[in-house]
Amino acid sequence: MSSTYQYRRISKEDAAVLFVDHQCGLTALVQDYPPSEFKNSIMALADMAKFFNLPTILTTSFETGPNGPIMPELKEMFPNAPFIARPGQINAWDNEDFVKAVKDTGRKQLIIAGIVTEVCVAFPALSALEAGYEVFVVTDASGTFDQASHEAAWLRMATAGVQLLNWFAVGSELHRDWRNDIQGFGKLLCDHTPIYQSLMTSYAAKG
Amino acid sequence: MSSTYQYRRISKEDAAVLFVDHQCGLTALVQDYPPSEFKNSIMALADMAKFFNLPTILTTSFETGPNGPIMPELKEMFPNAPFIARPGQINAWDNEDFVKAVKDTGRKQLIIAGIVTEVCVAFPALSALEAGYEVFVVTDASGTFDQASHEAAWLRMATAGVQLLNWFAVGSELHRDWRNDIQGFGKLLCDHTPIYQSLMTSYAAKG
Amino acid sequence: MSSTYQYRRISKEDAAVLFVDHQCGLTALVQDYPPSEFKNSIMALADMAKFFNLPTILTTSFETGPNGPIMPELKEMFPNAPFIARPGQINAWDNEDFVKAVKDTGRKQLIIAGIVTEVCVAFPALSALEAGYEVFVVTDASGTFDQASHEAAWLRMATAGVQLLNWFAVGSELHRDWRNDIQGFGKLLCDHTPIYQSLMTSYAAKG
Amino acid sequence: MSSTYQYRRISKEDAAVLFVDHQCGLTALVQDYPPSEFKNSIMALADMAKFFNLPTILTTSFETGPNGPIMPELKEMFPNAPFIARPGQINAWDNEDFVKAVKDTGRKQLIIAGIVTEVCVAFPALSALEAGYEVFVVTDASGTFDQASHEAAWLRMATAGVQLLNWFAVGSELHRDWRNDIQGFGKLLCDHTPIYQSLMTSYAAKG
Amino acid sequence: MSSTYQYRRISKEDAAVLFVDHQCGLTALVQDYPPSEFKNSIMALADMAKFFNLPTILTTSFETGPNGPIMPELKEMFPNAPFIARPGQINAWDNEDFVKAVKDTGRKQLIIAGIVTEVCVAFPALSALEAGYEVFVVTDASGTFDQASHEAAWLRMATAGVQLLNWFAVGSELHRDWRNDIQGFGKLLCDHTPIYQSLMTSYAAKG
Amino acid sequence: MSSTYQYRRISKEDAAVLFVDHQCGLTALVQDYPPSEFKNSIMALADMAKFFNLPTILTTSFETGPNGPIMPELKEMFPNAPFIARPGQINAWDNEDFVKAVKDTGRKQLIIAGIVTEVCVAFPALSALEAGYEVFVVTDASGTFDQASHEAAWLRMATAGVQLLNWFAVGSELHRDWRNDIQGFGKLLCDHTPIYQSLMTSYAAKG
Amino acid sequence: MSSTYQYRRISKEDAAVLFVDHQCGLTALVQDYPPSEFKNSIMALADMAKFFNLPTILTTSFETGPNGPIMPELKEMFPNAPFIARPGQINAWDNEDFVKAVKDTGRKQLIIAGIVTEVCVAFPALSALEAGYEVFVVTDASGTFDQASHEAAWLRMATAGVQLLNWFAVGSELHRDWRNDIQGFGKLLCDHTPIYQSLMTSYAAKG
Amino acid sequence: MSSTYQYRRISKEDAAVLFVDHQCGLTALVQDYPPSEFKNSIMALADMAKFFNLPTILTTSFETGPNGPIMPELKEMFPNAPFIARPGQINAWDNEDFVKAVKDTGRKQLIIAGIVTEVCVAFPALSALEAGYEVFVVTDASGTFDQASHEAAWLRMATAGVQLLNWFAVGSELHRDWRNDIQGFGKLLCDHTPIYQSLMTSYAAKG
């Protein structure tokens, strides 16, 4: 048996997380996921980034305008992360400070989420792919106007070579083995998966 | 002009809240709302009950079995509320302690939510209606197997005289006037409506 | 407090179950529920009827034609039930033998399911209502061409006074109290609710 | 047992059929049913009207304008039916000729379908109801812009007392008994229910 | 034939239009209609109000806060309409100025739209009903969080006696007869119904 | 500019049409398209094959069993087409007579439709692709159990190199230029596209 | 790090826009997007083309027949654009004048939208791809009969190498940097994104 | 004609089946398929594995925790199959015992199903692909949180080279020819396809 396919999976040692334009104004545009589901996915990805201690970069576009400030929870979780308030570039990769921040992480795997999917996510994802990075887009922590819009964007990215995952797969691919930290990882899942939390509570209740 | 219709709206002075069988095992059965949306609605209703200081009653069915314990957040929020662990009655209204607890509130408007809608909610709702109470069912803090199931249950209840509202309408009908507590009510909405929170944050950011 | 509403709930002593035209050919017409879900609901209702020992009546229309024979599982479960193979009447209530069989049960609450909802269910449901019976239609054990068709039929029946329930609500309203037979009722739910079964198995596994 | 409910079912002797504004231009507005399904339902209703020899009335609004001519198939099927080309009245019942044509049928049950549901159907349906007729609206032979529009219109009509049925229920309620004409009714169903036709063909093939 | 049902249809002479809380911030909450569809419906209703010269009242809640200002297009269309900026009342009917403005119109039919459906629309609708008005809620010019929320609110209102219509039915019920102003009404429909506009253009093109 | 992509479009001179297992029993399994839409698409493809005089092959599996006979309309339209009643092979390409019939057409482009998509269509499509044919699958003239099933099958086929089109695209790609036969092609579209037919009728009516 | 992937993004200097068969009759066929959403997307793309001063080509098929004239708004916006009224070719690329018009732009990136997606868009898109152009299809400014039809067409085009974007992504990829014209681009987004407009208005209102 | 595509179809001689984490707790997380449909698909795949006597491997993750025990039916059907209770590895392929068990089968085609799709299925699928296996993922016997999650996972796997099939296609591709065992294969289909069963019963009834 032989195969030319190489499964490049996300690694704690190789990956960085990019939050692109998760701004308060822009969240109002998102309708491909219900609001509480969407917010939960973003915060789950943030918790994953923190739990695995991944280099994380925040970037925004026109915070002082109607796009609004970055979601406060994100800023609070990553107070020391590079925060690139882009002066105008729509594609974050067109901003030199952003690209430099990415390079400075020394990582070659980029986990990207943002609003809206077909612009703020797809543009830097395709640019990073061209620059030789392995690119992973977090489908449920990225949102847009409607399902047709994300379906088109997913096809554009997938056929280019981007790998699509939800936050649950990102966390699982990073963690590899529950034994690395059973309590910590279990708490992460519970905090963002209500039914998993219910199972845990029921389980614990039985004693 | 004349009208025989009487708009019985929920009043802080007349209403009590009944949480029926929001148990960890049963939440796994709910598929008519996405999990994070559903949990958010339950907690929003709980916050409303607390904010308006409404008499609140908790009841469960077979907590020690697979139905599992009550959602811990509910128990923690209402540590002193009557908590009726029913020994077997499916319709909470068949349990004398429950009915007594309801009567002891002295309220004649009952706000009911539970799992599953067509049983744990509809049964006591119809019983209470028969007993002369005004009944308000919280549609999004109640869940069941699928949308067809809640549509049938809603029709059964609505044609009987039950009033259907989501948690947002319950809170708004109770509050009546923002000036009663602008900060408090605004915080409630923000905590459970991500886009409203975004609007608030953007608004505050502008200074 | 006073109320003119009377909650007529299904009672083991007062109810009979009518399976109307659950025939093999007709099942191919049903598209408002996925096939395995639909079959499961029919068999769940049958198990309920048997468990509560309710008088049960089977009826079919043109079994020897393309409508096909009654679902064999139904026939096997109720070998001694009145079986009315109607020679031509579309509305089962137009068949004297059928009405006589209903009367012979001595019951005044009729639980009706069938294929298709807007004809084989709605017609006898409305006829029985007119004849003074309390009528309960089992929404998920009844099927038709598409969702719009059942929505229209549900509105027609609900505004006439028919009560709509799924099989789960039928069983729960009949059982009233788990203590009447915990094992038996639990088994019923498990056999027809895969996730409930999973909860039970997990629970038992913990020991 | 007693009941005040009276099941008024459609009768061949008492019913007339009204096709309201099934015009070629207006069909382009209909998006609550897929186009082939919708056309099939209209033609099925027409076949039913013919099969049961029901008095049938056609009416249109501004055929010479963008609303376009009546669907040619309808005109061809009922060459001798009263055809009321309304000079301007939106509600067909506001047209004296139309009301007269209805009265001239001597029927007191009106089966109404049209485009669009909330206007061309609902308006004359409510007017006829007020005038003392029993009104039956054919849900799938009536179309409009989207599902939300017909859901609102259905609620408006159902709570007023209109009975909602699809064409299949109309035909079945009219026919009453297969033995009245097995071949004829069977052909009607086959011609407009592809899967029923398949069952028939398979059945016949076995010989 | 006799009937107790009375078809109360909207009349140009008897109706007033109430726009309740169509504010820029609140529009971001609406997800039961796609954004361009929703905006189109609001503007269509406004055009109808203007075309029929109906008394129109605008009201808002906390314009200076995150709810944001009234949609500018509405304000511009009705510069002289009573504009009630409520200081805190959630139910517009709790505001004396608003009720007075309604009374001052001398109309007894109220056409209500707003954001969100189950609060800003349903509350004053039920209050007005109680006060003896005939109430018509414009379903598609009113929006809320999701479809389940409006379905519950529609059932609450419909069973209370509110009549549900989309803007197209409102305009058609008001206009009664195309001959009252063919050009004007046709332009209204074209401006807000893209496919109707296409039909008109094609028709005109043929010459 | 250069490109390695070659647009292989369907040609009247190079294409043959394969109808695989459009049998009366199997149509009852199809739920990813509404029944009248599905039947219309099959007949549209058949009309296209006839209109363009394409070599056409019919094949079935177990006609004498519950799969039932081929749809009679297909058989009648192609009385002289090779008709391969396969004695057992599920993949039609495993049947030598079928492959020979394909070869005998001398065509290298195969237009395939059938029931069910992921088996009766996908298997011979992939086999033919391997054998060097250009393969075009007609998505809407092929049906299966549900949408998820066809989505998975479409991805399997598309990534292998199969081209996916609906019947409308098949006909349009074959016809190339309306001038080849305006009346004929127009009639084809009208017969199977109700709204196109309406446009035609309206257009003709204006004279 | 190395990569063979090249992100070919749309450039103001390299791109031309092709509007293919946006004709009044054909718009009536489109049901994969709600009508106001669809029209908005077409006009948004047109505004983008104008804003970025991109060479734009209009083409139609049989304007004098039932397909109807081009949408008047498009013609008015691009009075001097090449306008190719094709005498019969279904694939615009089969028309020499059209191909010449494309070549005359000197651009190698083609942004294509049209009605219907799988024919009027997919055919010239694949032809242009073969001719060496980079092809971008605007998913939401292109429409067809239903979602399944566009999903199949998207897969056919995406696997061939076409890039799929909505109008919002087209505009953003062209603009690159807000600073190129903040006011102009902001106005474009507001004019076609109701919620973005709301955010802008709220923002401006705060002063 | 020539082609580089090779249709690698599943073969009884080359394939093994892997059930990954079909555990009772995890089934509660699955919402992309209705519960009875999902369970039916899992059991159908199991029956297929048994019918074709394919080497089968079971694996679980943390059976003693809230993930719960493996579905009892699976364990009972394959009492002698390798059962790998992984001590912590999330990707089953990271477990040496599991990989060894796979190798020991001597098969090079792996049929994989599990819960949840994007983790428990996608991870070992991609690992196996890299290891040179041909990989077939059973889409409907694998479940996850929602449709968007499986759509993203399907795109990730399909573009990597995984082949996607439902259980019905798996069984059909394995069986190749009905004559290999008509009764056995027919029974399999009937047991898990209610409508196919209905067809069979109707067929047999005719005698």
Side-chain angles (χ1 to χ4, degrees), chain F residues 21-56:
Chain F
D21 302 351
H22 286 100
Q23 293 167 256
C24 287
L26 298 176
T27 59
L29 301 175
V30 174
Q31 301 206 0
D32 55 340
Y33 295 104
S36 293
E37 298 291 325
F38 184 50
K39 182 167 183 189
N40 179 61
S41 296
I42 296 169
M43 298 317 299
L45 180 63
D47 278 353
M48 289 289 169
K50 204 166 192 63
F51 178 73
F52 292 110
N53 208 24
L54 300 182
T56 298

Side-chain angles (χ1 to χ4, degrees), chain A residues 40-88:
Chain A
N40 179 60
S41 296
I42 296 169
M43 298 318 299
L45 180 63
D47 277 354
M48 289 290 167
K50 204 166 193 65
F51 178 73
F52 292 110
N53 207 26
L54 299 183
T56 297
I57 298 171
L58 309 177
T59 182
T60 58
S61 167
F62 281 120
E63 279 204 284
T64 55
N67 288 356
I70 192 169
M71 289 170 55
E73 297 92 336
L74 280 184
K75 193 77 193 76
E76 286 160 20
M77 285 186 66
F78 304 101
N80 302 317
F83 180 89
I84 317 294
R86 304 193 310 279

Side-chain angles (χ1 to χ4, degrees), chain G residues 41 45-46 48 95 109 130 133 138 141 148 166 186-187 201:
Chain G
S41 297
L45 180 63
M48 289 290 169
N95 180 291
Q109 296 183 319
E130 184 178 50
Y133 289 87
V138 193
N166 61 7
K187 182 175 183 314
T201 306

Side-chain angles (χ1 to χ4, degrees), chain A residues 7-51:
Chain A
Y7 174 23
R8 300 189 177 281
R9 48 175 159 167
I10 316 177
S11 153
K12 279 184 289 198
E13 287 73 33
D14 288 338
V17 181
L18 316 181
F19 287 97
V20 184
D21 302 351
H22 286 99
Q23 294 168 253
C24 287
L26 298 176
T27 59
L29 301 175
V30 174
Q31 301 207 0
D32 56 340
Y33 295 104
S36 292
E37 299 291 323
F38 184 50
K39 182 167 183 191
N40 179 60
S41 296
I42 296 169
M43 298 318 299
L45 180 63
D47 277 354
M48 289 290 167
K50 204 166 193 65
F51 178 73

Side-chain angles (χ1 to χ4, degrees), chain A residues 1 3 5-7 9 33 139 154 163-166 168-169 172-173 176-179 193 195-196 199-200 203, chain H residues 25 28 31 62 64-65 67 87-91 94 108 118-119 123 126-127 129-130 132 148-149 156 160:
Chain A
M1 280 177 279
S3 168
Y5 171 74
Q6 188 173 5
Y7 174 23
R9 48 175 159 167
Y33 295 104
T139 50
W154 290 5
Q163 298 199 52
L164 305 172
L165 309 85
N166 61 7
F168 192 83
S172 300
E173 195 153 306
R176 299 278 168 93
D177 196 310
W178 277 86
R179 291 167 298 185
T193 313
I195 296 178
Y196 204 82
L199 295 174
M200 284 255 190
Y203 179 78
Chain H
Q31 300 206 359
F62 281 121
T64 56
N67 289 355
Q89 301 93 345
I90 293 177
N91 181 347
D94 286 342
K108 71 170 201 287
E118 68 274 24
V119 172
F123 292 2
L126 296 175
S127 289
L129 205 64
E130 184 178 50
S149 289
R156 188 189 195 194

Side-chain angles (χ1 to χ4, degrees), chain E residues 127-145:
Chain E
S127 289
L129 205 65
E130 184 178 51
Y133 289 87
E134 293 168 17
V135 179
F136 303 83
V137 158
V138 193
T139 50
D140 51 359
S142 303
T144 184
F145 303 100

Side-chain angles (χ1 to χ4, degrees), chain B residues 74-93:
Chain B
L74 281 183
K75 193 78 191 78
E76 286 160 20
M77 285 186 66
F78 304 100
N80 303 316
F83 179 90
I84 317 293
R86 306 192 309 277
Q89 301 94 344
I90 293 177
N91 181 347
W93 207 263

Side-chain angles (χ1 to χ4, degrees), chain G residues 131-186:
Chain G
Y133 289 87
E134 293 168 16
V135 179
F136 303 82
V137 158
V138 193
T139 49
D140 50 0
S142 302
T144 184
F145 303 99
D146 47 37
Q147 293 188 24
S149 289
H150 80 214
E151 286 169 9
W154 291 4
L155 274 174
R156 188 189 194 194
M157 292 190 283
T159 53
V162 170
Q163 298 199 51
L164 305 172
L165 310 86
N166 61 7
W167 71 261
F168 192 83
V170 168
S172 300
E173 195 154 306
L174 282 163
H175 196 52
R176 299 280 168 93
D177 195 310
W178 277 86
R179 290 166 299 185
N180 291 331
D181 180 352
I182 294 184
Q183 300 299 332
F185 193 62

